[in-house]
Amino acid sequence: MRRIVQFAFILFLFSSCNQEVEKAPVKEKKKFEMYKYSEMAALMRQMYSINEALKIRIESGEDLGTFPTEFEQILNAEMTKKQKRDDFFEKHSSLFLESQRKIYANPKDAKALYNESINSCVECHRTKCPGPIEKIKHLELK
Amino acid sequence: MSKIQTMKFIYLFSLMFIALSSCNSKPIEKTEEVEKRTYADFGEKFSEKDPLTALQMLAVYDKLKAGDTVNAKFTGTIFGVCQKKGCWMQVDLDDDYAAHITFKDYDFFVPMNAMESVAIVKGRAFVTETSVLELKHIAEDEGSTQAEIDKISEPEFTLGFIADGVLIEE
């Protein structure tokens, strides 16, 4: 009988100590707010890729093809939140389109015209959005 | 108390001691799990182990001249993030200095609400001069007033950092 009482007592000790190990509160993870590409940001990346391919064609002397008309969306694509389509941007986006058309219209001078066009990107970004300047500089033809 | 009673008492006391001490260790393990930090990664993945502290990183910057670069991994608290895209962030080094972090090749961004989170960054540290135009752009992104933006007239020497990858505490 005593042994049963001892056993029951020990069992009680173990079970009561299990109740003390409550589930620790799980720290809630932060909900991060990531940027979603605007029409303009997506267009900028598309223009980067097209110029990257154009650089290779100029370097290897391949046919340049025709001016990519989708670049004209720069005139009306929706800007990133808080970014302004001001006079400076309007002027420089038109100059950029013109500089790109010149490359395709004058394949013999493509290298110089291409670098001029890339420089115009850098100059505009220096004022409007300096973040991608280093990336854009990778496009320059040496 | 007879010898037998004394032995029984010691036996019971020992059992109670074992039972109580074995259950004491469990809650401690739980606490350690809760305190372990977890990180979300952005850009290149890397180990969170052994970063320099913010103060150690400041000492590294102190030895750099404009134009020098050095590979580094350090941890600190984010106190500013680009509110347009999350394309740059600033990490405190001490009360007076912060590192301006951008992301390699503009290929990834960080969350725009990551302020006050602990971050670990890995990449290249350098010291550079920031032009007035760029300073105005940063001030605009931070939501400064036009009067505050107009006041900016001198370039600044910045503790720059191009991160290959960033870990931010979740």
Side-chain angles (χ1 to χ4, degrees):
Chain A
M1 182 62 188
R2 274 188 184 173
R3 284 187 185 281
I4 292 169
V5 171
Q6 282 173 13
F7 180 73
F9 178 66
I10 290 163
L11 198 68
F12 168 75
L13 275 177
F14 273 108
S15 62
S16 62
C17 101
N18 276 342
Q19 283 168 4
E20 283 171 20
V21 186
E22 287 173 11
K23 280 193 175 177
V26 178
K27 192 181 165 191
E28 263 189 47
K29 287 187 177 179
K30 268 184 194 166
K31 283 181 184 169
F32 287 135
E33 289 169 21
M34 297 303 295
Y35 168 69
K36 288 175 188 161
Y37 286 127
S38 64
E39 281 178 13
M40 184 61 78
L43 176 65
M44 289 286 172
R45 289 190 180 259
Q46 188 186 2
M47 293 193 295
Y48 185 91
S49 300
I50 290 172
N51 273 290
E52 218 171 14
L54 177 62
K55 178 185 174 181
I56 294 167
R57 290 204 299 277
I58 294 171
E59 277 175 325
S60 60
E62 286 176 51
D63 179 51
L64 302 185
T66 55
F67 167 72
T69 50
E70 58 266 44
F71 281 19
E72 288 167 354
Q73 290 168 25
I74 197 172
L75 300 174
N76 49 34
E78 183 202 341
M79 306 282 275
T80 294
K81 188 180 67 170
K82 298 178 186 170
Q83 195 69 270
K84 294 170 199 158
R85 184 184 280 283
D86 53 15
D87 290 346
F88 180 90
F89 183 82
E90 294 289 1
K91 181 185 165 190
H92 281 80
S93 51
S94 295
L95 285 172
F96 167 72
L97 288 178
E98 195 50 41
S99 71
Q100 285 279 311
R101 285 195 189 96
K102 275 186 189 173
I103 304 168
Y104 294 91
N106 303 280
K108 283 183 183 173
D109 302 321
K111 184 178 175 182
L113 292 169
Y114 170 85
N115 275 339
E116 274 176 33
S117 185
I118 299 305
N119 282 338
S120 76
C121 298
V122 171
E123 288 311 311
C124 187
H125 272 274
R126 222 182 277 286
T127 302
K128 295 301 291 179
C129 181
I133 287 177
E134 288 308 310
K135 187 180 174 80
I136 295 167
K137 282 183 175 175
H138 292 321
L139 289 174
E140 286 171 3
L141 267 169
K142 306 292 177 195
Chain B
M1 196 183 278
S2 71
K3 265 190 177 179
I4 295 172
Q5 279 176 323
T6 308
M7 290 291 283
K8 278 183 179 174
F9 177 77
I10 292 169
Y11 171 69
L12 262 177
F13 183 79
S14 303
L15 282 174
M16 280 170 64
F17 180 77
I18 291 165
L20 287 172
S21 61
S22 65
C23 79
N24 271 342
S25 60
K26 287 181 181 175
I28 294 168
E29 282 170 16
K30 290 273 179 192
T31 309
E32 282 170 356
E33 270 176 34
V34 170
E35 284 175 356
K36 194 181 174 193
R37 282 183 169 147
T38 58
Y39 295 91
D41 55 87
F42 304 90
E44 185 185 302
K45 288 181 170 38
F46 63 96
S47 162
E48 67 197 61
K49 286 181 184 170
D50 304 326
L52 297 178
T53 64
L55 280 175
Q56 285 170 331
M57 192 62 214
L58 185 59
V60 171
Y61 273 115
D62 199 36
K63 290 175 187 162
L64 292 181
K65 298 189 293 287
D68 292 346
T69 60
V70 64
N71 291 329
K73 177 165 83 172
F74 77 97
T75 184
T77 304
I78 301 170
F79 88 95
V81 179
C82 166
Q83 290 302 293
K84 284 180 186 169
K85 296 180 182 176
C87 67
W88 54 261
M89 65 181 192
Q90 288 176 313
V91 174
D92 272 331
L93 296 176
D94 72 357
D95 290 343
D96 297 321
Y97 292 96
H100 183 74
I101 320 280
T102 53
F103 312 115
K104 192 183 173 191
D105 288 337
Y106 210 60
D107 278 345
F108 66 95
F109 298 150
V110 294
M112 291 182 284
N113 62 338
M115 265 85 76
E116 294 174 17
S117 296
V118 173
I120 303 173
V121 294
K122 179 178 170 285
R124 283 176 298 128
F126 56 93
V127 176
T128 191
E129 187 181 329
T130 308
S131 70
V132 171
L133 269 179
E134 284 172 308
L135 287 173
K136 287 188 179 210
H137 176 82
I138 290 167
E140 196 184 325
D141 285 357
E142 286 175 335
S144 302
T145 63
Q146 194 55 48
E148 287 168 331
I149 294 167
D150 292 342
K151 272 185 190 171
I152 300 168
S153 59
E154 295 286 327
E156 264 182 23
F157 288 94
T158 308
L159 309 181
F161 196 95
I162 297 177
D164 300 324
V166 176
L167 300 174
I168 297 178
E169 186 184 8
E170 289 177 305

